[in-house]
Amino acid sequence: MASIVLTNVDKIYAGGVKAVNGLNLEIKDGEFMVLVGPSGCGKSTALRMIAGLEDISGGEISIGDKVVNHLPPKDRDIAMVFQNYALYPHMTVEENLAFGLKLRKMPKPEIQKRVNDAAKMLGLETYLKRKPAALSGGQRQRVAMGRAIVREPQAFLMDEPLSNLDAKLRVSMRASLNQMHERLGVTTVYVTHDQVEAMTLGDRVCVLRDGLLQQVDTPQNLFDKP
Ligand code: ADP
Ligand code: ADP
């Protein structure tokens, strides 16, 4: 686990769009921070800069005690979940969950333990031998989350992970995300345009508009003082 600190962070895309403008934000160790705001406000760009998928134009980003401005994603010890879960179609759920750990040459018993723990936490135990094609959208997204969890990263970054799911599934996935965060306590940055999601998931919520930070506070305080 680690805190994530953004200091005066800018992003100017080629063509001159200032997608993020002087963003200052401290995400505490173990905190669940939601970035929320309308389409185009810069939340994905902010997340992608934390992940290292997008260069930063100015300012500084640190994860734990490391300034990561110029570190590639693989050296940031983070795990990401996107809206489009890219599972390996020819592998079973179990193999999908284990794949990243096998690449890291982790001992087999440790892999098995982490896979089993993640499957249990996400309610995937009975699906371990299935392939993604035989899963529902919600189950696939759980596998994508499991794949991120098993790595035990310092931080968890999620970009609209529920937005391809129907309303009922979103409700149950929100509950799962809350439980998962309670169990693991991993520092999490979660991007959504959905205010209900923001209010139910976030320890704190950061509201962005046109690349600028509008407010950052607990859901309770934001709700009381709109
Ligand atoms: P959000 O995630 O809040 O919808 P984005 O971070 O995707 O917002 O986009 C913020 C702004 O930056 C928008 O004006 C968008 O059009 C622009 N933008 C995003 N990605 C790029 C890109 N690769 N090149 C140029 N402009 C971009
Ligand atoms: P979201 O709203 O979830 O951020 P978008 O559909 O706006 O998704 O963007 C999808 C992808 O297109 C992102 O990788 C983003 O960086 C890129 N993108 C968004 N706006 C622009 C733009 N104006 N020019 C080039 N790429 C863009």
Side-chain angles (χ1 to χ4, degrees), residues 93 97 114-130 135-136 138-146 149 169 172-173 175-177 179-180 183:
V93 167
L97 291 174
R114 289 192 185 194
V115 167
N116 289 343
D117 286 352
K120 197 167 166 202
M121 196 176 332
L122 291 161
L124 289 168
E125 295 124 303
T126 55
Y127 306 108
L128 284 171
K129 303 295 178 199
R130 286 203 200 172
L135 299 176
S136 70
Q139 289 161 350
R140 284 180 209 164
Q141 192 53 288
R142 284 170 194 271
V143 179
M145 285 175 187
I149 292 175
L169 259 177
S172 70
M173 288 299 291
S176 295
L177 277 166
Q179 278 165 15
M180 207 171 84
R183 270 278 304 277

Side-chain angles (χ1 to χ4, degrees), residues 13 39-40 43-44 48 54 83 159-160:
Y13 281 111
S39 180
K43 49 196 190 298
S44 289
R48 291 166 60 81
E54 203 71 72
Q83 150 180 8
D159 193 348
E160 303 265 6

Side-chain angles (χ1 to χ4, degrees), residues 28-39:
K28 299 188 187 99
D29 202 11
E31 187 170 38
F32 197 122
M33 176 69 80
V34 178
L35 307 183
V36 73
S39 180

Side-chain angles (χ1 to χ4, degrees), residues 4-78:
I4 299 173
V5 181
L6 287 78
T7 309
N8 264 318
V9 171
D10 292 322
K11 176 67 187 185
I12 304 167
Y13 281 111
V17 177
K18 195 151 195 180
V20 172
N21 192 348
L23 181 60
N24 287 298
L25 187 62
E26 182 176 351
I27 302 152
K28 299 188 187 99
D29 202 11
E31 187 170 38
F32 197 122
M33 176 69 80
V34 178
L35 307 183
V36 73
S39 180
C41 71
K43 49 196 190 298
S44 289
T45 299
L47 192 79
R48 291 166 60 81
M49 287 192 288
I50 296 170
L53 298 172
E54 203 71 72
D55 286 336
I56 99 172
S57 309
E60 189 177 280
I61 298 178
S62 64
I63 302 179
D65 51 14
K66 247 196 303 197
V67 174
V68 298
N69 284 19
H70 301 294
L71 275 188
K74 67 176 173 50
D75 296 332
R76 295 187 182 206
D77 196 11
I78 44 135

